[in-house]
Amino acid sequence: MYERLYAAVDTRAPEFTLMNENGKNISLDAFRKGKKLVLAFVRGVDDAHTGEQLDYLKDDYERFTYHGADVLAISDGSISLNKALRDSHKLPFHILSDPDCTVIKAYGLYNRYDKLIGPAILVLNEAGVILFRYEGKNPSDIAEEEEIIKVLEGDTQSRPGWPEKG
């Protein structure tokens, strides 16, 4: 059994270092360098659902960077699978490899059957504090990009009644 550390809204995101699709180590804090971050957890498989999530992150990448954020994806897949995904989808962001699910577990997203409970998105502020957390219930359940943009604009889950409709 492992110690379940739950990375909740309004807590500092657990630090980690993982290898990207080129085998280079990337640490969370060094990559962030004081900027906001959209942290996406994707399944380590090359299927339609993973492709859909990666493509929507790619399509909204410019909107995210406009609001001062960068994107990092994490999968339980191998470095070679992540390289193939990044190349085939022409992604402008890295996919980090977490094959033993250490980071997935630290973020409270582990499922012993599928490894990842479902696609997940976290938004971190410049200090590394989690402002938004979305856990998909199944492989096709992904966060709405408008929710992410609202958070990057300063509307967070910390506020009572979030999100306001209207």
Side-chain angles (χ1 to χ4, degrees), residues 58-147:
K58 175 183 75 174
D59 294 345
D60 285 327
Y61 185 74
E62 284 186 34
R63 289 181 74 196
F64 298 153
T65 58
Y66 173 82
H67 291 288
D70 207 336
V71 174
L72 267 182
I74 297 174
S75 90
D76 61 331
S78 67
I79 292 169
S80 59
L81 171 69
N82 290 343
K83 180 164 180 43
L85 286 170
R86 185 169 191 235
D87 292 348
S88 68
H89 291 274
K90 298 176 178 42
L91 301 176
F93 53 86
H94 294 290
I95 306 177
L96 308 182
S97 184
D98 185 20
D100 61 359
C101 299
T102 302
V103 174
I104 292 169
K105 290 173 184 174
Y107 279 76
L109 298 168
Y110 182 75
N111 172 317
R112 69 180 181 173
Y113 302 106
D114 301 318
K115 293 188 179 178
L116 183 63
I117 59 173
I121 295 281
L122 286 83
V123 177
L124 284 55
N125 70 9
E126 296 86 348
V129 174
I130 300 167
L131 302 175
F132 173 81
R133 180 183 175 105
Y134 183 89
E135 295 177 26
K137 308 278 185 278
N138 59 60
S140 64
D141 183 10
I142 56 179
E144 296 290 327
E145 56 269 12
E146 290 308 316
E147 287 181 302

